[in-house]
Amino acid sequence: MLKPLAFSVAILAALTAGMALADPAAKPTDPQIAHIAYTAGQLDIEAAKQALDKSKNTDVRAFAEEMVRDHTAVNNQALALVKKLNVTPEDNPTSQALTKQAEATHQKLAGLSAQTFDKAYVDNEVAFHKAVNGALSTTLIPNAQNAELKSLLQTGLKLFQEHQQHAEHLAQQLS
Amino acid sequence: MTLVIHRLLLPAAMVFVVALGEASAGEAEVRTIVVKELAFSSASIELHVGDTVEWVNQDIFVHSATADNGSFDVELAPGAHGRAALKTPGVIAYHCRYHPGMKAELHVSE
Ligand SMILES: [Cu+2]
């Protein structure tokens, strides 16, 4: 079975260790921050698409549709912003660690039956949003230099917090 | 001379409008609540039975204004607005179906 807590810790470690790996003294730059935030959104959209493929549960499907809708909206805004600011999002160890982790989760979830899938997906959504919320509030938002980027990240944080709460309600419902 | 009459008429017309406004104060009104940054604007507004609440969604996200007691359920697309008529007095708690932290209340008097 999947261990959401371990998953969350792994992401948190990746989010901080990733920075440290690049350069112990370095703080993430705006192009890196934009890349991490965008990647987190895309990964959640991909997870939701997997749920829409596999799940038969109405509430789980509604949640997944919401993830696709909300994260697409934020990421479209992010793309418009980086274009306007003439910033090229820069790949970095944190984005890579997040992506690698998400691929592993995707594979684990792919092997589950529709019924066990629902709970595992929702538990991971709780853990994923919790981890990203932590990274946004402790690392990404404080280090963002551009005011518009910072503001978009703050909206992103509010959104991720709402999604975490929604996922927690859903997890309770399923157990 | 015409000009003088207009100058005299204008304040008179304004008084008339103000009087109308006062006369309709007790009648049904449309009251706006802005939805922005994943929150219902908290500015407390006085509501009365017969009034209509209009939510204006200024976010890029889909929200809803859904009464806990089931009396209304308004879907709000990004940039869209939606209405609910208030038929009974009391406190109506409502929330967004998608974002459970989005909660607010309507205080409706007779
Ligand atoms: Cu909402």
Side-chain angles (χ1 to χ4, degrees):
Chain A
M1 267 317 270
L2 292 158
K3 297 184 192 73
L5 190 65
F7 175 76
S8 164
V9 169
I11 290 185
L12 277 175
L15 283 164
T16 43
M19 311 287 180
L21 272 177
D23 176 350
K27 294 183 166 171
T29 62
D30 280 7
Q32 290 172 335
I33 290 169
H35 196 282
I36 295 165
Y38 186 85
T39 300
Q42 285 306 111
L43 294 174
D44 202 45
I45 291 169
E46 279 160 35
K49 285 184 175 162
Q50 185 183 28
L52 291 170
D53 276 343
K54 286 196 69 123
S55 180
K56 308 252 184 288
N57 181 297
T58 319
D59 295 330
V60 172
R61 296 184 65 83
F63 174 82
E65 274 163 11
E66 178 188 327
M67 294 307 106
V68 173
R69 199 169 61 215
D70 285 356
H71 288 296
T72 302
V74 176
N75 273 3
N76 284 345
Q77 191 114 322
L79 284 182
L81 179 62
V82 294
K83 195 177 168 195
K84 180 186 148 194
L85 299 174
N86 211 4
V87 165
T88 308
E90 187 190 310
D91 198 5
N92 59 84
T94 305
S95 293
Q96 288 158 12
L98 277 173
T99 305
K100 212 174 148 190
Q101 185 68 53
E103 277 165 6
T105 305
H106 192 281
Q107 276 191 357
K108 281 186 200 170
L109 291 179
L112 301 177
S113 68
Q115 271 183 330
T116 45
F117 172 88
D118 287 342
K119 182 78 167 76
Y121 164 66
V122 173
D123 283 346
N124 271 294
E125 283 298 289
V126 173
F128 182 78
H129 283 86
K130 204 180 275 183
V132 174
N133 287 340
L136 279 168
S137 48
T138 61
T139 308
L140 305 180
I141 292 172
N143 285 307
Q145 298 302 305
N146 180 275
E148 282 178 273
L149 176 63
K150 203 187 264 276
S151 158
L152 184 58
L153 292 170
Q154 275 155 348
T155 303
L157 175 60
K158 277 184 207 159
L159 183 72
F160 267 83
Q161 284 168 338
E162 291 292 344
H163 289 173
Q164 183 188 327
Q165 217 180 317
H166 191 168
E168 281 165 353
H169 289 183
L170 202 49
Q172 268 184 344
Q173 228 175 286
L174 291 172
S175 55
Chain B
M1 194 53 210
T2 340
L3 205 69
V4 174
I5 291 170
H6 277 171
R7 277 187 184 156
L8 286 172
L9 275 175
L10 193 58
M14 283 168 77
V15 167
F16 180 64
V17 169
V18 169
L20 257 185
E22 275 169 7
S24 65
E27 291 169 21
E29 289 185 53
V30 176
R31 312 302 302 265
T32 301
I33 296 177
V34 170
V35 188
K36 201 179 174 185
E37 292 287 310
L38 295 125
F40 297 106
S41 66
S42 52
S44 58
I45 44 171
E46 244 184 81
L47 298 164
H48 297 92
V49 172
D51 285 351
T52 294
V53 174
E54 179 171 79
W55 289 273
V56 178
N57 183 6
Q58 294 184 357
D59 265 342
I60 56 173
F61 313 114
V62 178
H63 294 302
S64 82
T66 306
D68 295 5
N69 67 9
S71 60
F72 56 79
D73 183 10
V74 180
E75 179 96 357
L76 299 161
H81 45 84
R83 291 178 169 197
L86 304 172
K87 287 166 189 156
T88 48
V91 177
I92 308 171
Y94 67 100
H95 62 276
C96 168
R97 268 185 281 112
Y98 307 110
H99 309 113
M102 294 177 66
K103 287 177 186 158
E105 284 177 349
L106 301 175
H107 294 254
V108 187
S109 52
E110 291 282 3

Coordinates of all heavy atoms in Angstrom, one line a residue, chain B residues 63 96 99 102, ligand 1:
Chain B
H63 N -16.7 28.8 -8.7 CA -17.1 28.7 -7.3 C -18.6 28.4 -7.3 O -19.3 28.4 -8.4 CB -16.9 30.0 -6.6 CG -15.4 30.4 -6.4 ND1 -14.5 29.6 -5.8 CD2 -14.7 31.5 -6.9 CE1 -13.3 30.2 -5.8 NE2 -13.4 31.3 -6.5
C96 N -19.0 27.3 -0.5 CA -18.7 26.9 -1.9 C -18.5 25.4 -1.9 O -17.8 24.8 -1.1 CB -17.4 27.6 -2.4 SG -16.7 26.9 -3.9
H99 N -14.6 24.5 -2.7 CA -13.6 25.0 -1.8 C -14.2 25.1 -0.4 O -14.7 26.2 -0.1 CB -13.0 26.3 -2.4 CG -12.6 26.3 -3.8 ND1 -13.3 27.0 -4.8 CD2 -11.7 25.5 -4.4 CE1 -12.7 26.7 -6.0 NE2 -11.7 25.8 -5.8
M102 N -14.3 28.2 1.9 CA -15.1 29.4 1.6 C -16.5 29.3 2.2 O -17.3 28.5 1.8 CB -15.2 29.5 0.0 CG -13.9 29.7 -0.7 SD -14.2 29.7 -2.5 CE -15.2 31.2 -2.7
Ligands
CU1 CU -14.9 28.1 -4.5

